[in-house]
C-alpha cells in the first residue's frame, strides 16, 4: 500500500494547486532576483503609467507604476513574500495550538474536554475580523503582529473540527489496546491517534493558509497590517483605490494575485480532502 | 398448485474487474406453500443473495444472468417492475437481520405500521389502528396500544424484531424471506423469536425462506434445507435427514466444527483456511470445496461434481459421497484442570456505577453496571463469563484491564490491589494482564503493518527494541498463532476477519501475560473460523500456560474451552461453578434460560425452549 499522501499526488486537483503554489512561492523566495525594481524605489517622473502593452506603457515597468511611481510588478512580487510568510507561519501556529488542544480535549474527554470546548465557544462568539482588528490595534502593526493576530483568532477552527475527529479515532479499540500494551498517554496520542487525524490536519492547514492570505490583505487594506514600507497586496489595493479611474489595473492586479493564491490553497485543500478521506482509506480502496 | 417460490438454474454474477464471477451458480429449489426452506452456509456462501435476488435488490455490480425465479408460477424476473413491486411487501414479506436499523428512528411504531397498512389498501384509519393492535398482540407484544406511540429506540431489539415480524405477516403473505432474523439478538431471544416465526407461518400457511448460518437452529425449524458453499448448493434435502446424516463433506465438517452442548466434550473439527473469496473463485476449477476437504482426491481438483440424487428427495454435489461419514475430529483436547493452583486475578466486592445525564441540565440517573462482583481466576485456568448483552460483562473486562476504575471493592493481581488508576498500577497490569478485543476491525490500527502491531508492546514506555528484534519476535508470534510469516509486512485491511483475530491474539501474547481477558473474540466469526480459533486458544494454553477470562454469550464455545463458568445477569454474578455442572443443572432462572436457548445437537431431539409455550420476553 502506498501512503495516502503519495496517493493524493495522483489527483489532478492537487497537482494543479501545487504548481500554482510553487509559482507563488518561487516569486516570494526569489523576489530579489525576479523583481525588476526595488519595491520602494520611486520614479516621480513616471507615475500611474499603464501596463506595458497599453498605449503610453513603459517597457521598464511591465505592469505599470502606482501613484508614487513604484513598479507594480515588483510590488506584487514582494507582496507575495509577505502573503506567503503570513500564510505559512500563521496557519502553522494556529494548527499547533488548535490541534494540541483538540487532541487533549478529544482524547481525555470529561472535564478537560468541557473546559476546552467552552473556551472555544467563547472565542468563536467574537466576529473573527473584528477580533483581529482589535488585536492589531492593541499589538501594533508589523509582520509578526499580523501572524500573531491570525493565530490567536483562528486556532479555534482547528480545535473544533479536529476534536470530533479525535473523538471518533479514540473510540477505536486499537487506541485502548495501545494503552494496555504500556503506552503512555503521550505515546498513545502521538503514535496511534495523530497518524489517523493527520490527513484532516493537513487539509485544514491548506484551507487555513487561504484564510490567512485574505485576513492579511484585509488588515493591510485598513492600514493595520504590516508596516508601510513593506509591500503587501492589501496595501496596494488601498493605495490604488483613490486613482481607480486613472489606472484601474493597479487595483485589479493585487486583487487577481489574492484570488490566484486563495484559489490555489482552496484547490489543494479540496483535493487533499478527497484523496485523504479516512473512510475511503480504511476500507482499503 | 404451483410452488410458492421456485428457482430454476439461477445464476447471479458479480463483476470483479473485467471478469464475471458467479456468486450463485445453477441454484434450483422448490419451496411449497406452508413449508419452511432453510438456506444454510457461512458468510460469503451466497445465501443472502437469494433473498436479494427475489426482491431484485442486488448490490452494485451484481446481476442475475441466467435462470428463472417463479413466484406461484409467475416469473419474477420477466414480469413488469410495477407488478413485482406490487407483490413485494404484500404477497412477499421480509424479516430483516438488524431490526433496529430496519425501522425508521424518527417515526413511531404506530406511524410506521399505519403507513404499511395504508399501502396494503386499508383506507379507514380506525380500521388500520385496530388491525395494528391485533397484529402486535398476535406477535405477543405486551400492551400493543401503548407500543404504537413508542419510537424504535425505546424498544429492545427483541421487541423491534417482533414488530417487524408482525408487519411482515400483516398482509397475509404467501412467502416470507427471513434473513438471519435472530443473529443480531441476544441468545435468550432466539427461541421465542423463532417460535413466533414458526407460529405465524403455521397460522397464515405461509412459505418461509429461512436464511441462517446455524445448523442446529435450521434442524429445529426447517422442513427442508439447502447447504450452500461458495455460491453453490452442495447438499439439499429434508432438514432432519440432512443434518443428522450429512452426505456432503462440507456439511459434515461444519457440524463437527460446532462445539457440542450435550454429551462428551469432543474436539472440534478444523477445516483449513477459509471459503474462497470472489476473486479466488474466478480462478478455481473442479470442486470449490476441494482445497479444504479432508477427502479430496485427485479427481476433485479437475471435475466439478454434478448434483446427484443420493436418496429420494436428497441431493448432494460430491464425487465421493460414500466416504463422508468417515470424517471425524481428532482426539479430544486435554482439558488442563489445575484446582490447586494459586489465584492470579481476583475481584472482591467490586461495584461500578455510571451517571447518565439526560440533556444539559437533565436529572442525573445512576446506572449500576456491576454490583458486588467477586470471583478469582487461578493460574492456567480458563474461566468463562456468560450473560446477555447489557449484563455488565464488558464492564468487568474494562475494570480488570484498568480502562475503568471501580467505585468500590478491590481488584487483586497476584495479591496486589491494582484497582486505582495510578501509573504504578498501570505498569503492574501491563506486565501480566492483556486483553483481546472483540472487533478485529477496530482493534488493529489500519496504518501499522502487522509486524508493528504484533510487537507494539516493544515500543511502549521507555522500551526501544530495534527492528530486527521486533521482526524476530513477530515471526515467533505469527508461528504460534498459525499464520505465515510473510504477513509481517502486510496491513490489517489485507487480512481476513479470522486472520485479524489471530493477530489480535498474537499482540496480546507478545509480553507473555499470565492472564488474558478475551471479550467475545469468536462472536462475529464463521463456524469454521471459530473452530480454528477455539482450537488455537486450547493449544496456546498448553504451550504457553496462561489463564483466561473468556467473555462470551456462546455457551457451546464456553463449554469447549472453559472449566469454570460465571453467569452474569443485570450486573450481578448470579451463578458460578464448573462448566459441566452449571450447564447440566442450572440453578438460577437466567442460567436456565441461557442453557435452554441453545438448540440440541441432535436434529431429531426436541428443543424445549422452542416447543414449550413460555412467557414472552
Amino acid at each position: 500500500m502506498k501512503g495516502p499522501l503519495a496517493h493524493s499526488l495522483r489527483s489532478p486537483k492537487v497537482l494543479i494547486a501545487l504548481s500554482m503554489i510553487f509559482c507563488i512561492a518561487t516569486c516570494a523566495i526569489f523576489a530579489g532576483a525576479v523583481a525588476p525594481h526595488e519595491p520602494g524605489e520611486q520614479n516621480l517622473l513616471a507615475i500611474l503609467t499603464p501596463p506595458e502593452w497599453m498605449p503610453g506603457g513603459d517597457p521598464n515597468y511591465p505592469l505599470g507604476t502606482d501613484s508614487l511611481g513604484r513598479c507594480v510588478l515588483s510590488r506584487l512580487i514582494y507582496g507575495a513574500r509577505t502573503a506567503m510568510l503570513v500564510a505559512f507561519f500563521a496557519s502553522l501556529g494556529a494548527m499547533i495550538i488548535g490541534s494540541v488542544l483538540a487532541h487533549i480535549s478529544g482524547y481525555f474527554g470529561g472535564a478537560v474536554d468541557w473546559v476546552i470546548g467552552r473556551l472555544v465557544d467563547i472565542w468563536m462568539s467574537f466576529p473573527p475580523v473584528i477580533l483581529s482588528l482589535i488585536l492589531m490595534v492593541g499589538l501594533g502593526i508589523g509582520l509578526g503582529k499580523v501572524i500573531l493576530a491570525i493565530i490567536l483568532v483562528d486556532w479555534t477552527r482547528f480545535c473544533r473540527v479536529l476534536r470530533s475527529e479525535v473523538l471518533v479515532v479514540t473510540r477505536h479499540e486499537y487506541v485502548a489496546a495501545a494503552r494496555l500494551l504500556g503506552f503512555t498517554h503521550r505515546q498513545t496520542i502521538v503514535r496511534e491517534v495523530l497518524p489517523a487525524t493527520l490527513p484532516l490536519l493537513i487539509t485544514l492547514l491548506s484551507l487555513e493558509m487561504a484564510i490567512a492570505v485574505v485576513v492579511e490583505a484585509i488588515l493591510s487594506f485598513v492600514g493595520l497590517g504590516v508596516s508601510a514600507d513593506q509591500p503587501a497586496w492589501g496595501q496596494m489595493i488601498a493605495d490604488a483605490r483613490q486613482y481607480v479611474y486613472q489606472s484601474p489595473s493597479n487595483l485589479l492586479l493585487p486583487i487577481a494575485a489574492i484570488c490566484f493564491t486563495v484559489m490555489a490553497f482552496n484547490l489543494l485543500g479540496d483535493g487533499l480532502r478527497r484523496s485523504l478521506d479516512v473512510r475511503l482509506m480504511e476500507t482499503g480502496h | 398448485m404451483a410452488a410458492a417460490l421456485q428457482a430454476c438454474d439461477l445464476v447471479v454474477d458479480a463483476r470483479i474487474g473485467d471478469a464475471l464471477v458467479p456468486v450463485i451458480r445453477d441454484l434450483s429449489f422448490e419451496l411449497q406453500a406452508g413449508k419452511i426452506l432453510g438456506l444454510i452456509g457461512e458468510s460469503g456462501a451466497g445465501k443472502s443473495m437469494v433473498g436479494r435476488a427475489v426482491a431484485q435488490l442486488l448490490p452494485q455490480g451484481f446481476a442475475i444472468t441466467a435462470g428463472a425465479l417463479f413466484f406461484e408460477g409467475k416469473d419474477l424476473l420477466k414480469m413488469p417492475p410495477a407488478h413485482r413491486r406490487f407483490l413485494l411487501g404484500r404477497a412477499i414479506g421480509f424479516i430483516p437481520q438488524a431490526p433496529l436499523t430496519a425501522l425508521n428512528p424518527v417515526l413511531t411504531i404506530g406511524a410506521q405500521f399505519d403507513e404499511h397498512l395504508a399501502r396494503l389498501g386499508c383506507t379507514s384509519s380506525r380500521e388500520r389502528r385496530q388491525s395494528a393492535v391485533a397484529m402486535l398482540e398476535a406477535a405477543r407484544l405486551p400492551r400493543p396500544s401503548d407500543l404504537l406511540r413508542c419510537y424504535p429506540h425505546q424498544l429492545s431489539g427483541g421487541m423491534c424484531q417482533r414488530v417487524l415480524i408482525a408487519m411482515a405477516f400483516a398482509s397475509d403473505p404467501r412467502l416470507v424471506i427471513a434473513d438471519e432474523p435472530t443473529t443480531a439478538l441476544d441468545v435468550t431471544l432466539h427461541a421465542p423469536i423463532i417460535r413466533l416465526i414458526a407460529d405465524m407461518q403455521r397460522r397464515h400457511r405461509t412459505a418461509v425462506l429461512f436464511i441462517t448460518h446455524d445448523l442446529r437452529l435450521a434442524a429445529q425449524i426447517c422442513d427442508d434445507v439447502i447447504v450452500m458453499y461458495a455460491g453453490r448448493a452442495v447438499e439439499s434435502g429434508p432438514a432432519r435427514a440432512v443434518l443428522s446424516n450429512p452426505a456432503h463433506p462440507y456439511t459434515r465438517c461444519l457440524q463437527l466444527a460446532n462445539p457440542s452442548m450435550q454429551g462428551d466434550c469432543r474436539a472440534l473439527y478444523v477445516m483449513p483456511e477459509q471459503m474462497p473469496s470472489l476473486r479466488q473463485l474466478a480462478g478455481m476449477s473442479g470442486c470449490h470445496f476441494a482445497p479444504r476437504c479432508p477427502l479430496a482426491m485427485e479427481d476433485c481438483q479437475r471435475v466439478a461434481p454434478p448434483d446427484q440424487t443420493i436418496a429420494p428427495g436428497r441431493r448432494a454435489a460430491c464425487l465421493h459421497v460414500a466416504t463422508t461419514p468417515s470424517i471425524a475430529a481428532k482426539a479430544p483436547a486435554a482439558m488442563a484442570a489445575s484446582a490447586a493452583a494459586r489465584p492470579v486475578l481476583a475481584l472482591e466486592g467490586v461495584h461500578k456505577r455510571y451517571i447518565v445525564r439526560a440533556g444539559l441540565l437533565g436529572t442525573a440517573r445512576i446506572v449500576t453496571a456491576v454490583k458486588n462482583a467477586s470471583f478469582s481466576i487461578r493460574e492456567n485456568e480458563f474461566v468463562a463469563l456468560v450473560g446477555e448483552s447489557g449484563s455488565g460483562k464488558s464492564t468487568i473486562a474494562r475494570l480488570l484491564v484498568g480502562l475503568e476504575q471501580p467505585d468500590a471493592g478491590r481488584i487483586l493481581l497476584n495479591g496486589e490491589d491494582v484497582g486505582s488508576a495510578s501509573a504504578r498500577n498501570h505498569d503492574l497490569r501491563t506486565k501480566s494482564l492483556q486483553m483481546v478485543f472483540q472487533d478485529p476491525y477496530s482493534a488493529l490500527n489500519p496504518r501499522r503493518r502487522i509486524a508493528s502491531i504484533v510487537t507494539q508492546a516493544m515500543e511502549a514506555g521507555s522500551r526501544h527494541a530495534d527492528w530486527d528484534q521486533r521482526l524476530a519476535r513477530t515471526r515467533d508470534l505469527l508461528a504460534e498463532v498459525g499464520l505465515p510469516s510473510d504477513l509481517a509486512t502486510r496491513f490489517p485491511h489485507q487480512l481476513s476477519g479470522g486472520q485479524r483475530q489471530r493477530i489480535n491474539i498474537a499482540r496480546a501474547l507478545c509480553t507473555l501475560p499470565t492472564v488474558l481477558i478475551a471479550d467475545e473474540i469468536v462472536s462475529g466469526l464463521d463456524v469454521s473460523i471459530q473452530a480454528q480459533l477455539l482450537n488455537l486458544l486450547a493449544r496456546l494454553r498448553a504451550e504457553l500456560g496462561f489463564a483466561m477470562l473468556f467473555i462470551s454469550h456462546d455457551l457451546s464455545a464456553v463449554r469447549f474451552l472453559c472449566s469454570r463458568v460465571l453467569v452474569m445477569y443485570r450486573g450481578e454474578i448470579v451463578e458460578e461453578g464448573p462448566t459441566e455442572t452449571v450447564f447440566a443443572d442450572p440453578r438460577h432462572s437466567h442460567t436456565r434460560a441461557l442453557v435452554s436457548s441453545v438448540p440440541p445437537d441432535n436434529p431429531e431431539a426436541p428443543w424445549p425452549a422452542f416447543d414449550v409455550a413460555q412467557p414472552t420476553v
Side-chain angles (χ1 to χ4, degrees):
Chain A
M1 185 179 103
K2 270 196 178 161
L5 279 173
H7 173 77
S8 72
L9 282 179
R10 282 205 298 258
S11 141
K13 255 189 193 171
V14 173
L15 283 178
I16 294 171
L18 283 179
S19 42
M20 285 163 83
I21 292 167
F22 178 77
C23 292
I24 309 166
T26 315
C27 289
I29 294 165
F30 303 107
V34 179
H37 299 271
E38 281 297 306
E41 187 189 298
Q42 298 181 5
N43 182 356
L44 293 175
L45 293 175
I47 58 168
L48 295 175
T49 48
E52 195 187 339
W53 61 88
M54 308 258 283
D58 183 346
N60 230 343
Y61 300 105
L63 294 178
T65 58
D66 66 1
S67 57
L68 292 172
R70 294 175 296 194
C71 172
V72 170
L73 178 62
S74 306
R75 287 180 68 73
L76 277 179
I77 291 170
Y78 276 92
R81 179 177 277 186
T82 311
M84 290 306 260
L85 279 175
V86 171
F88 185 73
F89 287 106
S91 53
L92 199 69
M95 181 201 84
I96 290 169
I97 297 180
S99 58
V100 166
L101 287 177
H103 280 85
I104 291 173
S105 175
Y107 177 81
F108 290 103
V112 183
D113 186 29
W114 192 89
V115 170
I116 294 176
R118 295 301 81 77
L119 184 68
V120 170
D121 283 347
I122 293 167
W123 216 275
M124 284 187 118
S125 63
F126 294 103
V129 175
I130 309 282
L131 183 59
S132 49
L133 284 175
I134 294 170
L135 280 170
M136 288 308 292
V137 170
L139 294 166
I141 58 169
L143 186 66
K145 313 284 172 51
V146 173
I147 292 173
L148 187 62
I150 295 175
I151 291 175
L152 288 179
V153 172
D154 270 354
W155 65 270
T156 50
R157 206 186 296 270
F158 282 91
C159 193
R160 177 157 290 179
V161 177
L162 271 176
R163 177 190 161 267
S164 51
E165 183 75 11
V166 174
L167 271 184
V168 173
V169 174
T170 305
R171 286 211 191 100
H172 278 119
E173 286 174 342
Y174 67 78
V175 176
R179 274 293 287 157
L180 300 186
L181 292 168
F183 275 38
T184 59
H185 286 302
R186 200 177 57 81
Q187 281 177 324
T188 311
I189 293 177
V190 172
R191 293 189 206 165
E192 301 292 298
V193 182
L194 187 62
T197 55
L198 201 59
L200 180 64
L201 198 70
I202 293 171
T203 307
L204 284 177
L205 186 70
S206 74
L207 294 175
E208 177 62 27
M209 286 185 179
I211 293 167
V213 169
V214 173
V215 173
E216 186 269 329
I218 293 173
L219 293 177
S220 305
F221 180 78
V222 298
L224 286 169
V226 294
S227 57
D229 57 337
Q230 205 165 6
W233 292 338
Q235 235 172 36
M236 292 173 71
I237 298 173
D239 290 346
R241 201 172 52 93
Q242 298 164 32
Y243 307 97
V244 64
Y245 295 110
Q246 290 96 315
S247 136
S249 67
N250 280 3
L251 185 75
L252 293 175
L253 286 167
I255 290 177
I258 292 171
C259 285
F260 184 78
T261 315
V262 170
M263 211 165 79
F265 285 126
N266 278 344
L267 212 56
L268 180 69
D270 195 46
L272 287 177
R273 186 179 60 80
R274 278 160 202 275
S275 48
L276 298 181
D277 195 310
V278 189
R279 273 149 296 196
L280 293 177
M281 219 194 72
E282 285 195 349
T283 48
H285 291 297
Chain B
M1 189 184 154
L5 185 67
Q6 189 186 1
C8 296
D9 298 318
L10 187 71
V11 179
V12 175
D13 278 329
R15 181 165 287 281
I16 302 257
D18 294 329
L20 277 180
V21 183
V23 185
I24 296 177
R25 277 176 311 151
D26 304 329
L27 182 69
S28 298
F29 62 81
E30 234 174 77
L31 169 56
Q32 298 297 340
K35 295 278 181 193
I36 302 183
L37 173 67
L39 280 182
I40 318 177
E42 296 179 283
S43 55
K47 54 194 193 311
S48 288
M49 285 301 149
V50 180
R52 282 164 162 260
V54 172
Q56 304 250 315
L57 282 174
L58 291 168
Q60 195 89 50
F62 288 64
I64 300 169
T65 44
L69 262 177
F70 295 102
F71 172 69
E72 298 188 328
K74 296 181 287 275
D75 193 339
L76 278 171
L77 307 179
K78 294 217 177 78
M79 66 174 60
H83 193 175
R84 194 180 58 241
R85 274 200 300 276
F86 184 83
L87 288 177
L88 297 178
R90 286 190 182 85
I92 305 176
F94 292 88
I95 303 173
Q97 176 168 5
L100 273 171
T101 53
L103 288 166
N104 187 338
V106 298
L107 294 179
T108 60
I109 300 295
Q112 298 184 51
F113 223 110
D114 192 69
E115 192 185 341
H116 183 57
L117 291 174
R119 188 180 165 254
L120 294 178
C122 182
T123 45
S124 141
S125 78
R126 256 193 61 164
E127 248 173 63
R128 287 203 297 267
R129 212 189 115 76
Q130 276 166 357
S131 53
V133 170
M135 279 157 197
L136 290 177
E137 225 157 39
R140 299 200 207 105
L141 279 157
R143 287 182 286 118
S145 44
D146 294 345
L147 201 69
L148 290 177
R149 283 194 295 274
C150 289
Y151 286 92
H153 70 266
Q154 294 169 308
L155 309 183
S156 67
M159 286 168 91
C160 284
Q161 193 60 294
R162 281 174 194 276
V163 170
L164 285 162
I165 292 171
M167 276 166 113
F169 283 97
S171 52
D172 213 358
R174 270 103 69 199
L175 171 67
V176 164
I177 295 170
D179 190 353
E180 303 258 13
T182 56
T183 307
L185 303 174
D186 263 323
V187 272
T188 46
L189 292 174
H190 287 191
I193 292 290
I194 294 297
R195 196 170 65 232
L196 177 64
I197 293 176
D199 273 2
M200 296 289 249
Q201 179 263 340
R202 242 169 275 152
R203 197 176 312 163
H204 296 265
R205 284 202 42 80
T206 313
V208 174
L209 187 64
F210 190 83
I211 300 168
T212 184
H213 65 275
D214 192 334
L215 297 177
R216 290 187 283 218
L217 202 60
Q220 292 297 325
I221 186 173
C222 298
D223 297 303
D224 296 291
V225 292
I226 297 175
V227 182
M228 294 190 68
Y229 185 81
R232 180 146 192 211
V234 291
E235 183 167 6
S236 61
R240 297 198 173 189
V242 168
L243 296 170
S244 52
N245 188 17
H248 195 276
Y250 176 63
T251 320
R252 171 107 179 132
C253 289
L254 211 53
Q255 241 177 1
L256 291 174
N258 233 334
S260 60
M261 270 306 275
Q262 286 95 23
D264 292 334
C265 203
R266 55 171 170 78
L268 301 182
Y269 184 80
V270 177
M271 277 182 267
E273 301 175 52
Q274 57 195 347
M275 194 175 311
S277 66
L278 286 180
R279 216 171 277 278
Q280 289 167 312
L281 264 182
M284 283 175 89
S285 61
C287 175
H288 289 176
F289 184 60
R292 304 176 73 189
C293 182
L295 305 172
M297 312 232 186
E298 186 265 331
D299 53 347
C300 295
Q301 314 281 355
R302 285 183 288 110
V303 190
D307 203 10
Q308 46 191 321
T309 306
I310 48 164
R314 286 193 62 179
R315 302 174 74 80
C318 180
L319 296 171
H320 309 283
V321 178
T323 48
T324 298
S326 68
I327 302 174
K330 285 186 215 83
M335 294 282 278
S338 49
R342 71 189 175 90
V344 279
L345 185 66
L347 258 70
E348 285 179 1
V350 167
H351 282 267
K352 179 71 192 172
R353 286 184 300 270
Y354 291 105
I355 297 169
V356 182
R357 204 178 286 276
L360 185 65
L361 299 166
T363 45
R365 203 161 49 89
I366 293 173
V367 177
T368 306
V370 175
K371 214 186 297 177
N372 198 18
S374 301
F375 65 85
S376 65
I377 302 174
R378 288 189 289 268
E379 268 179 334
N380 212 13
E381 183 187 35
F382 277 22
V383 177
L385 183 60
V386 299
E388 57 186 5
S389 59
S391 59
K393 307 189 300 275
S394 290
T395 309
I396 293 244
R398 295 178 70 83
L399 285 169
L400 285 173
V401 295
L403 292 172
E404 306 271 357
Q405 277 70 46
D407 294 319
R410 301 198 301 163
I411 298 172
L412 300 173
L413 182 61
N414 297 319
E416 269 190 279
D417 187 1
V418 294
S420 67
S422 71
R424 186 183 148 274
N425 284 347
H426 184 68
D427 284 348
L428 279 177
R429 267 195 300 255
T430 312
K431 272 194 203 101
S432 41
L433 206 63
Q434 277 304 325
M435 178 149 169
V436 185
F437 286 88
Q438 174 173 8
D439 177 5
Y441 290 85
S442 154
L444 305 180
N445 188 341
R447 285 163 200 82
R448 280 178 183 264
R449 289 178 195 276
I450 297 305
S452 160
I453 289 174
V454 168
T455 58
Q456 213 178 332
M458 295 167 83
E459 60 169 272
S462 49
R463 273 166 279 174
H464 298 290
D466 64 51
W467 195 239
D468 288 340
Q469 270 177 303
R470 289 181 68 171
L471 275 180
R473 184 82 184 108
T474 306
R475 271 194 293 277
D476 293 348
L477 284 166
L478 287 181
E480 258 162 28
V481 296
L483 289 174
S485 59
D486 60 320
L487 289 187
T489 53
R490 304 266 186 90
F491 284 97
H493 68 77
Q494 294 166 306
L495 271 54
S496 69
Q499 285 176 322
R500 281 161 177 253
Q501 203 58 293
R502 284 165 190 255
I503 296 296
N504 212 347
I505 294 170
R507 171 175 62 184
L509 291 176
C510 180
T511 50
L512 296 172
T514 46
V515 188
L516 269 190
I517 315 284
D519 190 358
E520 300 272 15
I521 60 170
V522 294
S523 306
L525 302 170
D526 275 323
V527 177
S528 62
I529 308 296
Q530 180 185 313
Q532 291 173 2
L533 281 174
L534 290 176
N535 262 12
L536 170 72
L537 286 170
R539 179 170 62 78
L540 286 175
R541 167 172 56 179
E543 284 174 17
L544 304 174
F546 52 83
M548 181 161 78
L549 182 68
F550 185 74
I551 299 173
S552 182
H553 63 260
D554 184 346
L555 298 196
S556 44
V558 163
R559 183 166 181 261
F560 173 74
L561 206 57
C562 302
S563 50
R564 206 148 57 82
V565 62
L566 309 161
V567 183
M568 225 175 153
Y569 182 58
R570 299 197 174 161
E572 276 181 285
I573 293 174
V574 293
E575 190 159 355
E576 181 181 355
T579 311
E580 292 299 327
T581 324
V582 172
F583 286 1
D585 182 22
R587 303 264 164 207
H588 190 269
S589 60
H590 183 65
T591 320
R592 273 202 294 279
L594 281 175
V595 172
S596 67
S597 70
V598 185
D601 293 333
N602 181 359
E604 312 283 356
W607 183 18
F610 179 60
D611 290 335
V612 179
Q614 282 196 336
T616 48
V617 182

